[in-house]
Amino acid sequence: MSLTAVLLAAGASPSPSSSPSPPGATTPAVSTLQDAQQSATNAAGWVEQNWSTWLAIGLKVVLILVIAGVLRAVVRRAITKLIDRMNRTVQAVDGTALGGLLVNAERRRQRSQAIGSVMRSVASFVILGTAALMVLGSFQINLAPLLASAGVAGVAIGFGARNLVTDFLSGVFMILEDQYGVGDTIDAGVASGEVIEVGLRVTKLRGGDGEIWYVRNGEVKRIGNLSQGWATAGVDVTVKSSEDLDRLRSTLDEVAEQMSKEEPWNELLWGPIEVLGLDSVLIDSMVVRLSAKTMPGKSVTVERELRWRVKRAFDAAHIRIVGGATAALEQDEIADRTAAVAPPSVFSDGDSPQAQATSPIVQQRQASK
């Protein structure tokens, strides 16, 4: 006899210790072994009927996750290789003199890192987000309410963090368009100085007095880059209007030619130093302007050296530099200051209150005695 038949027989026979229930009493419903067996049989049948469906869903989810992970790794690796290739292409001009002056290794490194970080983040978001939606769809979940809620939440977050989004998008376009980079001297309107770090949200500048400015990218409406292309060095020299113009020009031309041949100024100067002529002429002075095209960011250095050389050349040529737009007169040219003082009138009354008020205090004390 099987165990099941024995258990059924035992459950069907009444227990000797059980007393008969009184008439009119309600017998509680007790789950028998047959009910448990039937439930287990139904569960086993349901699992047997649906195991293939659950297995297919599980395999589908695993396949989606594996493909998403592999695709994400491949895309990120491809982006990294693309950024490295761009860096190697730029490094090809490092051997030339112009390439060594124009290419900034730190700027190139930070720009490539920022671009690569943005591209990898976008790729990961798109791939993983699509995989998550596909996994939810595999479980027969209706995605329409979820997408609608995500859209509303995205709009709310966008309104709440619009400044952050503006800073981020502005930083992305600044980096992609290479508007400025590390080492550049820029004027961002709200602050100016040398760029020491470029981020997607904030740009860090070093001011002229050593201070550090943190400028939000969304606040920058205009950018003046003083380190791209070339710069202009301009020097104004104020001399007396009586100086000989031919001798003045020949002295300045000699200074410009000598400076253009010496190192390191021959590398900093990207064009000849030109004597543009008289910028202004006054009664007692005149201003001569010199100009030169220089390497970006080196205009101030060239101006200081040019002023130094012009001053030494003028001292040797006995050409006097005056100190402002209006030249001061020589000591011997200054007239007698007492000549402009009007003599006292012969018709003035010495006893008048006005005359007594202007008399020295000592005389008043003597008069009072």
Side-chain angles (χ1 to χ4, degrees):
M1 177 179 286
S2 63
L3 179 61
T4 305
V6 174
L7 294 175
L8 289 176
S13 60
S15 175
S17 62
S18 60
S19 59
S21 57
T26 304
T27 303
V30 179
S31 298
T32 63
L33 190 59
Q34 290 181 349
D35 295 336
Q37 183 183 14
Q38 185 65 30
S39 300
T41 303
N42 294 336
W46 183 84
V47 171
E48 183 178 0
Q49 292 177 1
N50 296 280
W51 73 270
S52 58
T53 303
W54 284 102
L55 181 60
I57 293 175
L59 292 177
K60 186 177 180 180
V61 170
V62 173
L63 184 62
I64 291 173
L65 295 178
V66 170
I67 293 177
V70 173
L71 182 61
R72 177 174 177 268
V74 170
V75 172
R76 289 172 66 91
R77 185 176 179 83
I79 292 173
T80 303
K81 287 187 175 181
L82 177 62
I83 298 301
D84 294 341
R85 182 174 299 179
M86 292 172 57
N87 289 338
R88 288 195 299 268
T89 303
V90 177
Q91 288 174 359
V93 298
D94 283 347
T96 62
L98 184 59
L101 294 175
L102 293 180
V103 178
N104 189 311
E106 181 66 17
R107 169 178 177 174
R108 182 173 62 246
R109 184 187 65 81
Q110 288 203 5
R111 180 169 178 261
S112 61
Q113 285 184 354
I115 295 175
S117 176
V118 171
M119 296 177 66
R120 285 190 291 267
S121 299
V122 172
S124 299
F125 178 78
V126 173
I127 294 174
L128 297 181
T130 305
L133 293 178
M134 294 177 65
V135 168
L136 293 177
S138 301
F139 290 100
Q140 305 298 326
I141 297 177
N142 188 11
L143 300 179
L146 181 62
L147 294 177
S149 301
V152 174
V155 172
I157 293 174
F159 276 110
R162 57 184 181 274
N163 292 333
L164 182 62
V165 175
T166 301
D167 297 339
F168 181 81
L169 294 178
S170 300
V172 169
F173 283 106
M174 285 178 182
I175 294 174
L176 292 178
E177 297 174 0
D178 195 19
Q179 297 179 6
Y180 55 83
V182 176
D184 289 353
T185 301
I186 66 171
D187 181 4
V190 293
S192 60
E194 181 181 357
V195 180
I196 59 178
E197 185 178 344
V198 179
L200 294 177
R201 192 182 68 88
V202 174
T203 297
K204 189 184 298 185
L205 304 178
R206 174 76 67 179
D209 296 332
E211 70 277 10
I212 295 180
W213 297 97
Y214 294 89
V215 181
R216 290 172 44 195
N217 296 329
E219 296 291 332
V220 179
K221 304 302 180 183
R222 62 171 180 85
I223 297 175
N225 196 325
L226 307 179
S227 300
Q228 287 184 352
W230 46 268
T232 302
V235 175
D236 293 336
V237 183
T238 305
V239 297
K240 295 179 60 176
S241 58
S242 59
E243 296 290 346
D244 187 5
L245 294 179
D246 295 334
R247 187 164 68 99
L248 186 63
R249 177 179 286 274
S250 62
T251 304
L252 293 176
D253 290 339
E254 182 180 354
V255 172
E257 183 179 359
Q258 184 179 2
M259 183 175 176
S260 301
K261 294 179 180 180
E262 296 181 1
E263 294 183 355
W265 312 109
N266 53 356
E267 296 181 357
L268 300 182
L269 291 170
W270 285 9
I273 301 176
E274 299 179 355
V275 181
L276 301 181
L278 295 178
D279 189 64
S280 63
V281 179
L282 302 177
I283 298 176
D284 49 5
S285 64
M286 56 185 177
V287 179
V288 183
R289 169 158 296 187
L290 292 85
S291 178
K293 186 180 295 185
T294 68
M295 189 172 67
K298 300 298 181 180
S299 59
V300 177
T301 304
V302 173
E303 289 175 357
R304 291 171 178 170
E305 180 66 19
L306 186 56
R307 292 191 187 98
W308 183 281
R309 292 173 179 263
V310 167
K311 178 61 170 64
R312 294 179 60 181
F314 279 10
D315 290 343
H318 302 289
I319 299 176
R320 186 172 180 272
I321 298 178
V322 294
T326 303
L329 296 177
E330 295 286 351
Q331 188 66 27
D332 54 359
E333 296 178 357
I334 299 177
D336 186 8
R337 293 183 175 87
T338 59
V341 179
S345 175
V346 295
F347 300 103
S348 62
D349 186 6
D351 298 331
S352 63
Q354 292 83 2
Q356 293 180 0
T358 57
S359 60
I361 299 178
V362 177
Q363 295 181 2
Q364 291 180 357
R365 289 179 178 177
Q366 293 176 355
S368 61
K369 290 180 181 180

